[in-house]
């Protein structure tokens, strides 16, 4: 490094990010999301007590890219392993890093029940609507009409259903205290994602309950787009199916209590009772909402 | 670690305990403070016991959403360096196989209990030994071995559970305690050892990279050479286990012309049958494997090379352990099999009849 | 304006061009040579125009950029 003490550092690799060159394809957002997680861990000064749980998928090698203690676990089971870690050592800060296939298909039970129990770890999800590692098959979050290896004519919702709304599902569980969906691409969206991650890790540090950030990102290679086109697709198309926003930000609260006190008496209860009152999650949306929402 | 200070609990006098509960108390006394499970008959008394008992010693009992989740909670807790246990029965234990393979690949210790029931499929909740292959041959994917302990009574359930935790830590490999519905449900007097404190996390555990390089626990080794080297290291470890940890009990085998081989519940019945046979003057002995893997092949081979002219394997299955008996005897003597399935349990007289038939003619 | 020093770790660059697109001042362009990874990496073509807005660093998936400002 030629950085001298006389210079003010504006931007540099966070300490919690190992110097390894990643295996990710050019333009893939995993690299950005790794960096944001590492930045947040550095900012909170928790690297020395943080343990990451790596999933299976493109992010299977996350453990090589963070300068943190890490365990690599079976496909979809990261939330269960994180539960065991955190229960065994509540003084640790524990996070999972999972893709949409890992979290929303094979690991659906594990992530939902982690939220149900209000497990005090942070789940980070990279949602790019495809199984990237295995070469581009349909995932539970593949958009209607999207062509993949296993939906050669495009995903037909009449045949195989609609994209799975993970953040909304988890936010509906009383054990969740912070659930947000953000996206990558432009600078402002990346900064918002960083802010959401910071809030999620803080929720864990405060022992409040389960926290999760679903981050929409691209897969240029398997989508058959340039990195720039892929980012534009996230901003234009993905957000139509996956509304951005904070779906839950408040203490873990049984729904009955939320109804009874009408959102009063809890600092951030407004979001919670708004979401519950309508029976559907209607966050303050940042992106374009679903047409029918 | 958030472990409450616990008053030292001394070794106990003989207490009347149900098998499943004795297993739980023995685990606690061995320093186990974490249990992740899922309800299934006939092991349900064990998680229920842990749910009551673990909070008393500052531990955590957590009911998982599935056996798949439970085994991976075990994986996470083990990675944090604590003594941890899960239990199930046939169908649930099948679900744990993926996680067990990862535990071995990651070299993580844990104690796994299978209180066997009748199968295949949902089968029934009656005692069975039909999970022998699954337990001893590596029920999950990849080349691996686990020490499999087969208690034959409540005291041994307790003793072997304590041993299981120590062996798991020594070899950094999961250990199976293989019981069955009868052992789990029966009540017998049992003496427990003094309560041991939960051990400090070992030097490989994930405790946060404070003042040291980061640690990684993984089972992935992409290059062929790397994965082969990893496997060779594991195999060397399994060889050490086989060398040092084979356990069995020999009952009246000296001079026996017929050696009955049985473990667990079947061995209790076989022992009674052998006693009846000896009262009739029949030269019969019993060899009871206590470790199913490593299997006591050597003592069997020695018997086959000596006075034993025949072997009879008795199991609550269609004949699984008998294959290991045949491998050990290696053609030097006939190996017969008698088994019952589906929860049916033979009587000592039933086995005595088989013994008589086996020894008819040249036996005496 | 204080001078911004852009330190490029060109051998990490995978040539995705997202930084070139993100830069509001056309400071960056793609080089013509091939780097160790086999990609055409980004290069600085107009350092004097850089305002230190960090956009390149923020969008880069491969942490190619280190930005400092002379004190």
């Amino acid at each position: 490094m030629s950085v001298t003490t006389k210079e003010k550092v504006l931007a540099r690799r966070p300490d919690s990010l190992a110097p390894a060159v990643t295996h990710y394809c050019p333009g893939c957002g995993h690299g950005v999301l790794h960096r944001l997680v590492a930045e947040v861990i550095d900012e909170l000064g928790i690297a020395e007590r943080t343990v990451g749980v790596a999933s299976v998928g493109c992010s299977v090698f996350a453990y090589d890219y963070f300068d943190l203690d890490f365990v690599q676990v079976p496909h979809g089971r990261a939330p269960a392993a994180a539960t065991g870690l955190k229960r065994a050592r509540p003084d640790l800060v524990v996070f999972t890093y999972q893709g949409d296939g890992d979290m929303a298909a094979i690991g659906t039970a594990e992530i939902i029940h982690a939220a149900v129990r209000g497990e005090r770890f942070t789940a980070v999800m990279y949602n790019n609507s495809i199984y990237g590692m295995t070469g581009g098959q349909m995932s539970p979050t593949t958009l209607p009409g999207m062509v993949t290896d296993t939906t050669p004519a495009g995903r037909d919702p009449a045949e195989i259903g609609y994209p799975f709304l993970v953040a909304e599902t988890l936010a509906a569980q009383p054990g969740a205290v912070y659930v947000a969906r953000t996206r990558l691409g432009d600078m402002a969206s990346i900064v918002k994602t960083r802010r959401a991650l910071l809030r999620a890790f803080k929720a864990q540090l405060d022992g409040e309950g389960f926290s999760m950030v679903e981050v929409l990102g691209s897969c240029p290679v398997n989508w058959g787009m340039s990195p720039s086109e892929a980012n534009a697709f996230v901003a234009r198309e993905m957000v139509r199916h996956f509304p951005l926003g904070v779906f839950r930000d408040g203490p873990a609260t049984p729904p009955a209590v939320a109804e009874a006190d009408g959102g009063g008496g809890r600092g951030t209860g407004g979001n919670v009772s708004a979401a519950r009152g309508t029976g559907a999650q209607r966050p303050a949306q940042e992106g374009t909402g679903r047409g029918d929402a | 670690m958030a472990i409450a200070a616990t008053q030292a609990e001394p070794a106990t006098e003989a207490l009347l305990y149900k098998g499943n509960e004795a297993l739980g108390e023995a685990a606690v006394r061995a320093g186990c403070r974490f249990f992740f499970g899922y309800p299934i008959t006939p092991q349900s008394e064990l998680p229920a016991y842990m749910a009551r008992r673990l909070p008393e010693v500052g531990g955590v009992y957590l009911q998982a959403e599935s056996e798949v989740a439970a085994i991976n909670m075990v994986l996470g807790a083990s990675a944090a360096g604590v003594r941890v246990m899960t239990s199930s029965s046939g169908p649930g234990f099948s679900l744990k196989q993926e996680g067990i393979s990862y535990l071995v690949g990651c070299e993580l210790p844990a104690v796994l209990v299978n209180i066997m029931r009748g199968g295949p499929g949902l089968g029934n909740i009656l005692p069975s030994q039909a999970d022998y292959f699954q337990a001893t041959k590596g029920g999950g994917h990849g080349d691996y071995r686990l020490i499999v302990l087969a208690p034959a009574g409540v005291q041994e359930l307790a003793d072997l559970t304590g041993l299981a935790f120590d062996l798991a830590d020594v070899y950094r490999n999961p250990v199976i305690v293989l019981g069955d519905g009868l052992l789990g449900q029966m009540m017998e007097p049992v003496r427990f050892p003094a309560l041991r404190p939960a051990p400090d996390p070992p030097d490989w555990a994930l405790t946060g990279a404070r003042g040291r390089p980061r640690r990684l626990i993984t089972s992935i080794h992409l290059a062929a050479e790397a994965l082969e080297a990893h496997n060779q290291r594991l195999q060397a470890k399994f060889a050490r286990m086989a060398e040092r940890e084979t356990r069995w009990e020999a009952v009246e085998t000296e001079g026996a012309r017929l050696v009955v081989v049985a473990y667990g519940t079947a061995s209790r019945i076989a022992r009674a049958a052998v006693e009846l046979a000896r009262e009739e003057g029949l030269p019969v002995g019993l060899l009871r494997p206590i470790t199913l893997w490593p299997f006591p092949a050597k003592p069997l081979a020695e018997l086959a090379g000596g006075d034993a002219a025949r072997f009879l394997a008795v199991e609550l299955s269609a004949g699984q352990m008998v294959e290991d008996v045949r491998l050990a005897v290696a053609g030097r003597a006939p190996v017969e099999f008698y088994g019952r399935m589906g929860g049916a349990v033979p009587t000592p007289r039933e086995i005595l009849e088989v013994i008589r038939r086996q020894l008819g003619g040249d036996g005496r | 304006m204080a001078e911004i020093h852009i330190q490029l770790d060109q051998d990490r660059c995978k040539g995705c061009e997202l930084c070139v697109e993100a830069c509001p001042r056309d400071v960056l362009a793609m080089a013509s040579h091939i780097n160790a990874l086999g990609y055409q990496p980004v290069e600085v073509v107009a350092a004097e125009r850089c305002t230190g807005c960090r956009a390149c660093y923020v969008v880069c998936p491969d942490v190619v950029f280190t930005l400092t400002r002379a004190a």
Side-chain angles (χ1 to χ4, degrees):
Chain A
M1 277 237 176
S2 64
V3 178
T4 71
T5 51
K6 285 181 185 167
E7 294 176 316
K8 176 181 160 54
V9 177
L10 298 177
R12 67 168 180 89
R13 158 187 304 285
D15 292 336
S16 292
L17 199 65
V21 172
T22 71
H23 74 290
Y24 298 119
C25 306
C28 169
H30 269 303
V32 173
L33 187 53
H34 282 13
R35 194 194 70 230
L36 296 178
V37 171
E39 285 177 4
V40 163
I41 287 169
D42 282 3
E43 180 175 336
L44 294 170
I46 54 175
E48 293 189 333
R49 59 187 178 110
T50 296
V51 176
V53 183
S55 59
V56 174
C58 283
S59 55
V60 67
F61 300 115
Y63 55 74
D64 273 342
Y65 307 144
F66 289 96
D67 193 11
L68 302 167
D69 274 9
F70 245 87
V71 58
Q72 202 288 311
V73 306
H75 197 21
R77 319 300 176 214
T83 297
L85 263 163
K86 186 76 180 187
R87 296 278 183 153
R89 290 191 60 105
D91 55 319
L92 293 176
V93 178
V94 177
F95 74 98
T96 69
Y97 189 105
Q98 307 171 257
D100 42 290
D102 191 270
M103 184 186 282
I106 194 166
T108 312
E110 283 80 4
I111 194 66
I112 289 179
H113 284 276
V116 166
R117 292 188 303 265
E119 295 295 342
R120 280 132 175 95
F121 69 82
T122 301
V124 179
M125 176 196 189
Y126 185 82
N127 178 2
N128 61 0
S129 296
I130 204 150
Y131 285 87
M133 189 63 133
T134 45
Q137 297 81 14
M138 184 193 80
S139 94
T141 62
T142 293
L143 307 186
M146 206 166 173
V147 173
T148 71
D149 273 7
T150 49
T151 52
R155 179 176 186 164
D156 178 2
E159 290 287 334
I160 39 179
Y162 289 89
F164 181 15
L165 299 171
V166 178
E168 288 85 342
T169 303
L170 299 181
Q173 309 312 318
V177 295
Y178 183 77
V179 178
R181 183 185 289 119
T182 64
R183 72 171 174 90
L184 301 178
D186 58 88
M187 191 171 173
S189 298
I190 293 172
V191 169
K192 277 181 189 166
T193 297
R194 188 185 191 284
R195 208 178 295 144
L197 290 166
L198 190 65
R199 173 70 189 93
F201 275 89
K202 276 183 174 167
Q204 177 179 176
L205 289 174
D206 294 342
E208 293 172 358
F210 175 80
S211 56
M212 183 265 191
V213 183
E214 174 181 343
V215 180
L216 307 182
S218 69
C219 181
V221 167
N222 284 302
W223 291 0
M225 300 178 191
S226 74
S228 174
E229 288 167 351
N231 278 348
F233 184 85
V234 173
R236 190 181 68 242
E237 297 299 329
M238 276 190 87
V239 298
R240 287 178 54 228
H241 299 274
F242 301 107
L244 306 180
V246 177
F247 294 84
R248 188 167 182 102
D249 190 356
T253 315
V257 176
E259 293 290 336
D261 70 7
R266 282 173 294 117
T268 51
N271 262 335
V272 180
S273 54
R276 299 202 181 284
T278 57
Q281 287 66 48
R282 305 191 63 167
Q285 289 180 6
E286 295 169 5
T288 317
R290 283 164 71 92
D292 59 353
Chain B
M1 215 178 300
I3 300 300
T6 312
Q7 283 191 329
E9 294 181 38
T12 65
E13 294 301 300
L15 303 167
L16 197 58
Y17 254 73
K18 202 177 223 191
N20 284 332
E21 297 184 336
L23 216 160
E25 180 61 27
V28 170
R29 284 174 180 264
C32 171
R33 296 292 178 273
F34 298 91
F35 183 98
F36 302 97
Y38 185 89
I40 183 169
T41 309
Q43 60 85 58
S44 292
E45 294 85 0
L46 173 53
Y49 187 84
M50 294 307 241
R52 288 196 305 275
R53 183 68 168 116
L54 281 173
E56 293 175 2
V57 291
V60 172
Y61 162 83
L62 188 64
Q63 185 165 314
E65 62 270 27
S66 70
E67 284 94 349
V68 176
I71 191 70
N72 286 285
M73 290 174 184
V74 166
L75 189 154
S78 181
V82 301
R83 287 195 158 180
V84 57
M85 174 189 246
T86 186
S87 68
S88 192
S89 186
F93 213 79
S94 295
L95 281 174
K96 292 186 191 293
Q97 295 302 325
E98 176 201 43
I100 295 171
S101 171
Y102 275 76
L103 284 168
V104 175
C106 292
E107 298 197 76
L108 288 171
V111 173
L112 319 170
V113 179
N114 181 359
I115 302 296
M116 291 182 283
R117 55 188 262 170
L122 202 52
N124 62 25
I125 60 170
L126 297 168
S128 165
Q129 296 181 324
D131 299 350
Y132 179 93
F133 283 156
Q134 186 196 57
T136 61
K137 309 294 179 190
H141 58 286
D143 274 324
Y144 71 86
R145 296 292 187 178
L146 310 175
I147 293 174
V148 181
L149 300 169
V154 176
Q155 181 66 56
E156 207 174 42
L157 266 173
D159 295 345
L160 293 184
T161 297
L163 176 67
F165 279 99
D166 293 340
L167 294 178
D169 281 354
V170 165
Y171 294 104
R172 286 186 61 183
N173 204 55
V175 173
I176 291 180
V177 177
L178 193 67
D180 62 61
L182 204 141
L183 288 170
Q185 302 295 321
M186 70 164 54
M187 291 186 88
E188 283 182 338
V190 54
R191 284 188 165 83
F192 293 107
L195 185 83
R196 283 193 269 171
D200 290 334
D203 61 9
W204 48 259
L206 304 185
T207 54
R210 181 181 291 114
R212 58 160 173 80
R214 70 197 177 103
R215 291 174 184 158
L216 170 63
I217 292 177
T218 183
S219 61
I220 194 171
H221 305 269
L222 275 191
E225 312 81 64
L227 187 54
E228 186 170 51
H230 177 59
N231 268 284
Q232 281 165 342
R233 218 162 46 73
L234 291 177
Q235 292 299 324
K237 183 166 83 172
F238 302 150
R240 284 198 301 280
M241 292 179 196
E243 176 73 25
R244 298 173 190 165
E245 307 302 343
T246 311
R247 287 167 167 79
W248 70 94
E249 181 191 10
V251 182
E252 312 257 27
T253 50
E254 203 163 317
R257 299 287 290 154
L258 172 69
V259 174
V260 179
V261 187
Y263 70 94
T265 287
S267 76
R268 295 172 71 97
I269 305 159
R271 184 190 293 259
V274 165
E275 281 167 11
L276 291 172
R278 292 203 75 97
E279 282 169 19
E280 294 182 6
L282 297 173
V284 182
L286 171 73
L287 191 129
R288 176 172 76 90
I290 296 172
T291 52
L292 301 181
W293 196 93
F295 191 73
K298 206 170 152 192
L300 281 168
E302 284 167 6
L303 290 169
D307 294 329
R310 305 185 81 87
F311 290 82
L312 170 65
V314 177
E315 302 176 56
L316 305 183
S317 78
Q320 299 191 10
M321 178 194 67
V322 65
E323 294 190 1
D324 286 331
V325 178
R326 290 195 175 114
L327 281 171
V329 170
R332 278 170 289 196
V335 177
E336 303 298 333
F337 171 74
Y338 186 76
R340 299 291 302 271
M341 294 172 281
V345 177
T347 65
R349 295 252 159 229
E350 201 174 327
I351 295 171
L352 177 63
E353 278 307 309
V354 182
I355 291 171
R356 284 183 184 140
R357 277 206 303 277
Q358 292 289 318
L359 285 174
D362 65 337
R364 289 168 199 254
Chain C
M1 183 175 15
E3 191 192 334
I4 308 298
H5 177 61
I6 308 169
Q7 189 184 318
L8 279 187
D9 194 348
Q10 271 191 327
D11 278 345
R12 304 180 61 85
C13 181
K14 295 174 186 158
C16 74
E17 304 187 27
L18 290 174
C19 56
V20 175
E21 185 182 300
C23 178
R25 307 266 297 179
D26 297 329
V27 172
L28 307 168
M30 302 315 288
S32 52
H33 71 276
I34 302 292
N35 70 5
L37 296 176
Y39 299 106
Q40 274 181 276
V42 65
E43 65 180 1
V44 176
V45 293
E48 70 285 356
R49 286 205 291 264
C50 178
T51 63
C53 77
R54 302 169 73 252
C56 53
Y57 167 88
V58 170
V59 302
C60 175
D62 296 293
V63 208
V64 168
F65 299 89
T66 302
L67 303 177
T68 52
R69 187 198 304 272

